[in-house]
Amino acid sequence: MDAVSATTAIKHSADVLFLMLGAVMVFAMHAGFAFLEVGTVRKKNQVNAFVKILTDWSVSTVAYFVVGFPIAYGISFLKPVPAILGGNQGYDLVHYFFLLCFAACIPAIISGGIAERAKFWPQVFAGGIFAGLAYPLFESLIWGQNNSALQGLFKSIGGAEFHDYAGSVVVHSIGGWLALPAVLLLGPRMGRYMRGKSHPIPISNIPFLALGSWILAVGWFGFNVMSAGNLEKVSGLVAVNSLLAMVGGVLGAIWAGKNDPGFVHNGALAGLIAVCAGSDIMHPLASFAVGLIAAFIFVYGFTIEQEKLKIDDVLGVWPLHGIIGSWGGIAAGIFGQPQLGGAGGVSLISQLLGTLSAIVFALVTGFITYALLKKTVGIRLHEEDEYRGSDLTVHSIGAYPEDHVR
């Protein structure tokens, strides 16, 4: 092997290792989704939360491998191993692994909104549809093989393509707005609203909720920084912007949420969701402001959703991922401008159009999917099963089995 070939091989190997480490970090975030949900739901639904996240991950893995990744990027792995490996040490394979972790976030996000009263298998099926078909279709229009037409339209109108570096809109906004139809069609949990009055249902475990938030926050640096795709494009700006947006979210939530631990730990996630889109072009202080604003959006958005609109979105995934993900897309168009210390190359009009297109796509897709499932197999547990809890009715075991030993 000559020096040029050896250098090329080392570069390919470095890129594979770089992206694989990012994939593992984002994969670990799914444990964060699980513990965040387990800490928020009641004890009788904790096992179900754990099993849902792992099952959704597994179904998403197969669906995205066979259907989703080829739709998004035009690369199929249904061919012999030498062809799969290609000449780049199997970079496409690890790229699939990394982007699978994004796709699998969609059912994980939805899971938190529909917790405690959704049927298990219909939701697993819906998650497979979203991860294998719906999400990859939108992904292909923004990041993938079919982006030229839609991005060209945004550029012709706004002067720049829609910019979403790490998925504020493509991942989080899509996930949160897909969840809204599911939550609405399911209806509130038994006892949540009675005779027009709100009766908040206490969460079960604040340490588990906090653990979920911490796992997600740590993994998020893989989510954002490794979105560079290869080693030579990695940016320290993305890392520091993610950090400052996260702490902006924490400080905003502790203020607006009056020290409530649920708001504080979700505030960190609000900041991280909001900064994804513009983390490569915004100034660190702007990222802090974006995270701070995101926390206020979540605290007040969650309160309005639950108490004014009476939408029983258990983990608040619509305001947290849907609305704040949309805010992140718009914020990139504001704080990415050179006048505010940003790198430029972004248009507020294009950001508004791209964000709006995601909302419309997700709402239409979500309503069609869940309406069909509700009409055919049903999406809600029977009243008695919901009362007993999904742990016993779906999985025949509780989170603390010794409590049932006589």
Side-chain angles (χ1 to χ4, degrees):
M1 182 182 292
D2 57 33
V4 174
S5 298
T7 301
T8 302
I10 291 172
K11 179 186 180 304
H12 288 323
S13 298
D15 288 341
V16 168
L17 178 61
F18 172 78
L19 207 54
M20 188 275 290
L21 293 174
V24 170
M25 290 179 72
V26 186
F27 176 37
M29 290 174 67
H30 289 265
F33 280 119
F35 276 100
L36 194 71
E37 183 173 336
V38 167
T40 304
V41 300
R42 289 165 288 183
K43 286 198 298 183
K44 63 182 180 180
N45 296 299
Q46 290 180 332
V47 169
N48 183 248
F50 277 128
V51 176
K52 268 194 305 180
I53 297 296
L54 187 56
T55 304
D56 283 339
W57 165 265
S58 302
V59 171
S60 297
T61 298
V62 178
Y64 196 69
F65 183 87
V66 177
V67 182
F69 193 73
I71 287 176
Y73 300 98
I75 299 171
S76 173
F77 300 119
L78 303 181
K79 49 193 175 184
V81 167
I84 292 176
L85 287 173
N88 55 12
Q89 320 289 88
Y91 178 84
D92 289 338
L93 286 166
V94 77
H95 193 208
Y96 147 77
F97 182 13
F98 181 72
L99 291 172
L100 158 68
C101 297
F102 285 45
C105 286
I106 303 300
I109 290 168
I110 296 170
S111 177
I114 64 173
E116 300 204 293
R117 77 276 203 200
K119 284 185 177 180
F120 182 76
W121 286 112
Q123 175 52 30
V124 169
F125 178 78
I129 293 294
F130 295 142
L133 185 60
Y135 167 80
L137 178 58
F138 191 81
E139 182 183 17
S140 76
L141 297 173
I142 303 300
W143 291 338
Q145 63 172 336
N146 298 315
N147 68 349
S148 56
L150 188 58
Q151 288 285 28
L153 177 62
F154 294 148
K155 188 173 183 179
S156 68
I157 297 173
E161 293 185 348
F162 175 67
H163 186 90
D164 189 2
Y165 183 73
S168 287
V169 173
V170 175
V171 179
H172 297 283
S173 181
I174 288 286
W177 287 97
L178 277 172
L180 180 60
V183 172
L184 292 175
L185 290 171
L186 272 170
R189 290 167 290 175
M190 294 169 54
R192 179 64 182 88
Y193 303 105
M194 294 186 295
R195 292 183 287 278
K197 293 185 178 180
S198 172
H199 297 271
I201 297 174
I203 64 177
S204 64
N205 194 309
I206 290 174
F208 275 0
L209 184 155
L211 176 62
S213 175
W214 273 106
I215 294 172
L216 282 163
V218 172
W220 224 293
F221 289 88
F223 197 100
N224 286 0
V225 175
M226 271 69 164
S227 286
N230 53 57
L231 197 57
E232 66 185 20
K233 294 180 181 178
V234 67
S235 170
L237 177 66
V238 175
V240 172
N241 279 346
S242 302
L243 176 64
L244 285 175
M246 182 192 79
V247 299
V250 170
L251 296 176
I254 201 167
W255 181 14
K258 300 178 181 178
N259 303 330
D260 181 276
F263 282 139
V264 172
H265 287 93
N266 278 289
L269 308 183
L272 287 163
I273 290 166
V275 80
C276 288
S279 57
D280 63 325
I281 58 172
M282 295 191 299
H283 189 278
L285 291 178
S287 296
F288 178 84
V290 168
L292 189 74
I293 294 168
F296 278 83
I297 292 172
F298 177 68
V299 172
Y300 295 118
F302 181 82
T303 302
I304 292 170
E305 178 193 39
Q306 300 283 325
E307 304 304 326
K308 301 296 184 183
L309 300 178
K310 291 183 170 55
I311 297 174
D312 188 19
D313 173 2
V314 180
L315 269 68
V317 299
W318 175 43
L320 182 61
H321 295 272
I323 297 175
I324 291 173
S326 300
W327 157 240
I330 296 167
I334 299 172
F335 293 98
Q337 302 294 340
Q339 297 90 328
L340 294 175
V346 66
S347 159
L348 178 57
I349 293 174
S350 297
Q351 294 305 113
L352 287 167
L353 290 173
T355 301
L356 181 61
S357 69
I359 293 172
V360 172
F361 175 85
L363 283 176
V364 172
T365 303
F367 270 114
I368 290 173
T369 301
Y370 284 107
L372 287 173
L373 286 171
K374 183 175 182 178
K375 188 73 173 177
T376 53
V377 297
I379 57 176
R380 180 159 184 157
L381 290 171
H382 295 299
E383 187 173 305
E384 183 180 344
D385 291 341
E386 182 181 342
Y387 178 78
R388 292 181 63 213
S390 52
D391 290 0
L392 294 179
T393 58
V394 178
H395 310 287
S396 301
I397 192 170
Y400 305 92
E402 65 181 348
D403 289 350
H404 304 286
V405 175
R406 295 289 185 266

